[in-house]
Each structure stands twice: as C-alpha cells, then as structure tokens.
Amino acid sequence: MTSWTELPLAAFDLETTSPDPHTARIVTACVLRIDGGDVTRRHWVANPGVPIPAEATEIHGYTDEYVSKHGRPHDDVVAEVVTELQAVWQEGRALAVYNGSYDLTLLAAQDAEFTIGGLVVDPFVLDKQYDRFRKGSRKLSAVMIHYGMRLDDAHDAEADALAAARLAWKLPRTFPHLAEFTADELMERQTHWYREEAHRFRDYLRRNDRDHSGVRTQWPIQATNPESEAA
C-alpha cells in the first residue's frame, strides 16, 4: 500500500464570473506541476463571452475590456484546461484544489465529458474534517495563516493553486493519520467527509428555520439539482 503523499503534486485554480459553478464561466485558470523546488506553470485568460459582474471583477481584478483584448475563446480554454488536468492525472500526480467541488463542477458544467481521472486533494475538506471545531474563517487566505503560511495575492489563480498545493503538503504532516491513506482511500474518505459535513450544515439550518435547499452533498462534482443529491 502506497501513501498518497508519495505521489508528485499538481495544483489547479479558476477565477470566474460567478459563485455558482453550474452557471459560472472561466476568466482565468492555472495548472501547476510541482517537482521539489521546480514549478511548471500553465496559465490561461479566457473571454467568458458574457459580461463579468462588477462583484467578480472586484474579487479577481479582470474586466470586460481586458478579457476582450487579451482573453482567448472560452470553449478553447475549457478544452485546454480539461486536457491539462487529464494529463496531470495520467502522469500519476495528485491534484490539489481548494474547495475543489466548485472548480471541478464548473468544468463538468462546461464540458459534459469531463470526468475525474485521478486523485483530487481538497485541503478545504481535509481541514474541516481534521480541525472541525476551530472557529473562524475557512477562506483560503485564513487557512494558510492558520497553518503558518501566507497567501499574498488571494484570488489570483496561480497564487491560489500554489497555496492549495502547499496545504496538501502541510496537512498530512500536521495530521499524520492523513498520510496512511492510499489515493483511492483518500478519494473515498473525502467524498464521505464532504457529505457528512453537508448534512451537519443542513441540520443546523433546519434547527434554525433557515433555508437549506441549496446545500450540496456531492464531492468532487456536484449534481445540477440539489434535490437529485442524496437526502
């Protein structure tokens, strides 16, 4: 049995037009391959083909004018990102993606043939499982600070992808039990942990008479309709 931590790392992040992965479009994307101190980068700027809302521009800084001038056709970027991720998995790499159900669901929404081809390591899921009762933000920048690291350029696709990779390296060294899983076992556990956390959150919302209809239970790719997910 080989620990998933023996696999070489890659990392992935998207910046997009919307917080809804089923309707959002890509604005920027980054895939990293990490081999010791060497990092190989692929970066894309896409013209999403729809106006970028002001609130999205405020987060990642990209405007309609910039992507119209510098962005590539959205469908081409989707296809190239999907091809790159499949190549990463074919190389036997673990793919670190923070809150990966967002990014991977978005790709699945844009490419009906996209499938998960290998190990996804989601530090968002792992941190919630292994430090469940910690108070405070679970945003990537806050989690980096908690584990003694910094994220100087949050909401930049490359910076966020590298941060996900650093957390994927750090967490099994903070919680050694994590390193005992094989790649297949870790995928199964993350799917289970994400579902459990979603049900706990649903129960909390129910107890407080708050709407829980939009809470998703599936990882790493969400169903289009929450009602089609396991109750």
Side-chain angles (χ1 to χ4, degrees):
M1 293 176 60
T2 302
S3 168
W4 68 272
T5 60
E6 299 299 315
L7 301 178
L9 269 176
F12 168 53
D13 187 70
L14 298 174
E15 298 300 324
T16 70
T17 59
S18 161
D20 180 356
H22 299 281
T23 59
R25 288 178 164 248
I26 297 172
V27 177
T28 66
C30 185
V31 176
L32 306 177
R33 288 171 172 82
I34 299 151
D35 297 289
D38 295 328
V39 180
T40 304
R41 301 163 171 84
R42 283 207 67 185
H43 188 271
W44 295 262
V45 176
N47 183 341
V50 298
I52 301 174
E55 54 268 29
T57 295
E58 187 175 347
I59 291 170
H60 52 59
Y62 286 85
T63 64
D64 291 332
E65 292 75 17
Y66 184 89
V67 299
S68 294
K69 182 176 181 180
H70 300 286
R72 296 185 48 229
H74 185 263
D75 289 351
D76 292 353
V77 171
V78 170
E80 290 180 17
V81 170
V82 167
T83 297
E84 194 72 8
L85 293 187
Q86 296 299 344
V88 159
W89 282 316
Q90 285 292 320
E91 293 164 14
R93 294 177 182 271
L95 182 70
V97 196
Y98 193 82
N99 195 19
S101 64
Y102 175 84
D103 304 73
L104 298 170
T105 297
L106 188 153
L107 287 182
Q110 295 296 326
D111 180 351
E113 297 184 358
F114 172 68
T115 58
I116 303 300
L119 175 59
V120 176
V121 182
D122 190 340
F124 177 73
V125 175
L126 301 182
D127 175 55
K128 278 201 165 186
Q129 173 64 24
Y130 279 82
D131 201 358
R132 184 186 308 167
F133 300 107
R134 186 178 80 246
K135 296 185 182 300
S137 173
R138 301 282 176 155
K139 290 182 179 179
L140 178 56
S141 56
V143 173
M144 286 288 284
I145 290 170
H146 175 74
Y147 288 104
M149 299 177 285
R150 289 187 0 182
L151 175 57
D152 292 326
D153 198 5
H155 301 297
D156 171 83
E158 182 175 330
D160 287 1
L162 185 57
R166 294 175 71 189
L167 285 169
W169 183 90
K170 180 76 171 181
L171 284 166
R173 289 156 177 84
T174 304
F175 306 106
H177 180 256
L178 257 177
E180 298 177 9
F181 299 121
T182 66
D184 287 345
E185 288 170 343
L186 187 64
M187 285 296 288
E188 292 173 3
R189 296 302 178 96
Q190 287 178 110
T191 302
H192 175 70
W193 292 334
Y194 188 94
R195 184 170 58 248
E196 280 193 328
E197 176 65 24
H199 284 307
R200 283 193 291 266
F201 187 48
R202 277 183 174 177
D203 290 342
Y204 167 80
L205 294 176
R206 286 190 187 107
R207 290 195 304 270
N208 289 275
D209 295 321
R210 293 167 61 184
D211 179 31
H212 59 272
S213 60
V215 177
R216 308 295 181 126
T217 64
Q218 291 180 334
W219 180 98
I221 295 178
Q222 301 170 353
T224 302
N225 181 358
E227 296 302 320
S228 69
E229 298 191 6

